[in-house]
Coordinates of all heavy atoms in Angstrom, one line a residue:
R269 N 70.3 94.7 100.4 CA 69.3 94.3 101.5 C 69.5 95.5 102.6 O 68.5 95.9 103.2 CB 69.5 93.0 102.0 CG 69.1 92.0 101.1 CD 69.2 90.6 101.8 NE 68.7 89.5 100.9 CZ 69.6 88.8 100.1 NH1 70.9 89.1 100.1 NH2 69.1 87.9 99.2
Y270 N 70.8 95.8 102.9 CA 71.0 96.8 103.9 C 70.2 98.2 103.6 O 69.5 98.7 104.5 CB 72.5 97.1 104.1 CG 72.8 98.1 105.1 CD1 73.0 97.5 106.6 CD2 73.1 99.3 104.9 CE1 73.2 98.5 107.4 CE2 73.5 100.2 105.9 CZ 73.5 99.7 107.2 OH 73.9 100.8 108.1
L271 N 70.4 98.6 102.3 CA 69.8 99.7 101.9 C 68.3 99.8 101.9 O 67.5 101.0 101.9 CB 70.3 100.3 100.6 CG 71.7 100.5 100.5 CD1 72.2 100.7 99.0 CD2 72.2 101.5 101.4
T272 N 67.6 98.7 101.8 CA 66.2 98.5 102.0 C 65.5 98.7 103.3 O 64.4 98.6 103.5 CB 65.7 97.2 101.3 OG1 66.2 96.2 102.0 CG2 66.1 97.1 99.8
Q273 N 66.4 99.0 104.3 CA 65.8 99.2 105.6 C 65.4 100.6 105.7 O 65.8 101.5 105.1 CB 66.9 98.9 106.7 CG 67.5 97.5 106.6 CD 66.4 96.4 106.6 OE1 65.6 96.4 107.6 NE2 66.4 95.4 105.6
E274 N 64.3 100.7 106.7 CA 63.7 102.1 106.8 C 64.7 103.2 107.3 O 65.6 102.8 108.1 CB 62.4 102.0 107.8 CG 61.3 101.2 107.1 CD 60.1 101.1 108.0 OE1 60.4 101.7 109.3 OE2 59.2 100.4 107.7
G275 N 64.5 104.3 106.9 CA 65.3 105.4 107.5 C 66.6 105.7 106.8 O 67.4 106.6 107.3
R276 N 67.0 105.0 105.8 CA 68.2 105.1 105.0 C 68.1 105.9 103.9 O 67.3 105.7 103.0 CB 68.9 103.8 104.8 CG 69.3 103.0 106.1 CD 69.9 101.9 106.0 NE 70.3 101.3 107.3 CZ 70.4 100.2 107.8 NH1 69.7 99.3 107.1 NH2 70.7 99.9 109.0
L277 N 69.0 107.0 103.7 CA 68.9 107.7 102.5 C 70.2 107.5 101.7 O 71.4 107.7 102.4 CB 68.9 109.2 102.9 CG 69.1 110.2 101.7 CD1 67.9 110.1 100.7 CD2 69.3 111.7 102.2
V278 N 70.2 107.1 100.7 CA 71.5 106.9 99.8 C 72.0 108.1 99.2 O 71.2 109.0 98.7 CB 71.3 105.7 98.8 CG1 72.3 105.7 97.7 CG2 71.0 104.4 99.5
V279 N 73.3 108.3 99.3 CA 74.0 109.4 98.5 C 74.9 108.9 97.5 O 75.8 108.1 97.9 CB 74.5 110.3 99.5 CG1 75.2 111.6 98.8 CG2 73.5 110.9 100.5
I280 N 74.8 109.3 96.3 CA 75.7 109.0 95.2 C 76.3 110.3 94.6 O 75.9 110.9 93.8 CB 74.9 108.3 94.1 CG1 74.1 106.9 94.7 CG2 75.9 107.8 93.0 CD1 73.3 106.3 93.8
P281 N 77.4 110.8 95.3 CA 78.0 112.1 95.0 C 79.0 112.1 94.1 O 79.9 112.8 94.2 CB 78.4 112.5 96.4 CG 78.9 111.3 97.1 CD 78.1 110.1 96.5
S282 N 79.0 111.3 93.1 CA 80.1 111.2 92.1 C 80.6 112.4 91.5 O 79.8 113.3 91.2 CB 79.7 110.2 91.1 OG 79.4 108.8 91.5
A283 N 81.8 112.7 91.5 CA 82.6 113.6 90.7 C 82.5 113.6 89.3 O 82.3 114.6 88.4 CB 84.0 113.9 91.3
V284 N 82.6 112.4 88.8 CA 82.5 112.0 87.3 C 81.9 110.6 87.2 O 82.1 109.8 88.1 CB 83.9 111.9 86.7 CG1 83.8 111.6 85.1 CG2 84.7 113.3 86.8
E285 N 80.9 110.4 86.1 CA 80.3 109.3 86.3 C 79.8 108.9 84.7 O 79.6 109.7 83.9 CB 79.1 109.2 87.1 CG 78.4 108.0 87.5 CD 79.4 107.1 88.2 OE1 79.4 107.0 89.5 OE2 80.0 106.2 87.7
N286 N 79.9 107.6 84.6 CA 79.3 107.2 83.2 C 77.8 106.8 83.3 O 76.9 107.8 83.1 CB 80.0 105.9 82.7 CG 79.6 105.4 81.4 OD1 78.8 106.0 80.6 ND2 80.1 104.3 80.9
S287 N 77.3 105.6 83.6 CA 75.9 105.3 83.7 C 75.8 104.4 84.9 O 75.9 103.0 84.7 CB 75.3 104.8 82.5 OG 74.0 104.5 82.7
P288 N 75.8 104.8 86.1 CA 76.1 104.1 87.4 C 75.0 103.0 87.6 O 73.8 103.5 87.8 CB 76.3 105.1 88.5 CG 75.5 106.2 88.0 CD 75.6 106.2 86.6
Y289 N 75.3 101.7 87.8 CA 74.3 100.7 88.4 C 73.7 101.0 89.8 O 72.7 100.7 90.1 CB 75.0 99.3 88.4 CG 74.8 98.7 87.1 CD1 76.0 98.5 86.3 CD2 73.7 98.2 86.6 CE1 76.0 97.8 85.1 CE2 73.6 97.5 85.5 CZ 74.8 97.3 84.7 OH 74.7 96.7 83.4
T290 N 74.5 101.9 90.5 CA 74.0 102.2 91.8 C 72.7 103.0 91.7 O 71.6 102.8 92.4 CB 75.1 103.2 92.7 OG1 75.5 104.2 91.8 CG2 76.2 102.1 93.1
V291 N 72.7 103.9 90.8 CA 71.3 104.7 90.5 C 70.3 103.8 90.0 O 69.2 103.9 90.6 CB 71.6 105.8 89.5 CG1 70.3 106.5 89.1 CG2 72.5 106.8 90.2
L292 N 70.6 102.9 89.1 CA 69.5 102.0 88.5 C 68.9 101.0 89.6 O 67.8 100.9 89.6 CB 70.3 101.1 87.4 CG 70.5 101.8 86.1 CD1 71.2 100.9 85.2 CD2 69.1 102.3 85.4
E293 N 69.8 100.6 90.5 CA 69.5 99.7 91.5 C 68.5 100.4 92.5 O 67.5 99.8 93.0 CB 70.6 99.1 92.2 CG 71.4 98.1 91.5 CD 72.9 97.9 91.9 OE1 73.3 98.7 92.7 OE2 73.4 96.9 91.4
C294 N 68.8 101.6 92.9 CA 67.9 102.5 93.7 C 66.6 102.7 93.1 O 65.6 102.6 93.8 CB 68.7 103.8 94.1 SG 70.0 103.5 95.4
L295 N 66.6 103.0 91.8 CA 65.4 103.3 91.0 C 64.6 102.0 91.0 O 63.4 102.1 91.3 CB 65.7 103.7 89.6 CG 66.3 105.2 89.4 CD1 66.7 105.4 88.1 CD2 65.3 106.2 89.9
E296 N 65.1 100.9 90.7 CA 64.5 99.7 90.6 C 63.8 99.2 91.9 O 62.7 98.7 92.0 CB 65.4 98.5 90.1 CG 64.9 97.2 89.9 CD 63.8 97.2 88.9 OE1 63.8 97.8 88.1 OE2 63.0 96.0 88.9
L297 N 64.5 99.3 93.0 CA 64.0 98.9 94.3 C 63.3 100.0 95.1 O 62.9 99.8 96.3 CB 65.1 98.3 95.1 CG 65.8 97.1 94.5 CD1 67.1 96.7 95.2 CD2 64.8 95.8 94.6

Side-chain angles (χ1 to χ4, degrees):
R269 286 191 183 93
Y270 181 83
L271 297 176
T272 59
Q273 303 304 307
E274 293 181 0
R276 290 181 174 136
L277 172 70
V278 168
V279 180
I280 304 169
S282 304
V284 180
E285 198 59 88
N286 184 3
S287 183
Y289 273 108
T290 49
V291 171
L292 286 174
E293 288 160 345
C294 287
L295 289 169
E296 176 69 18
L297 295 173

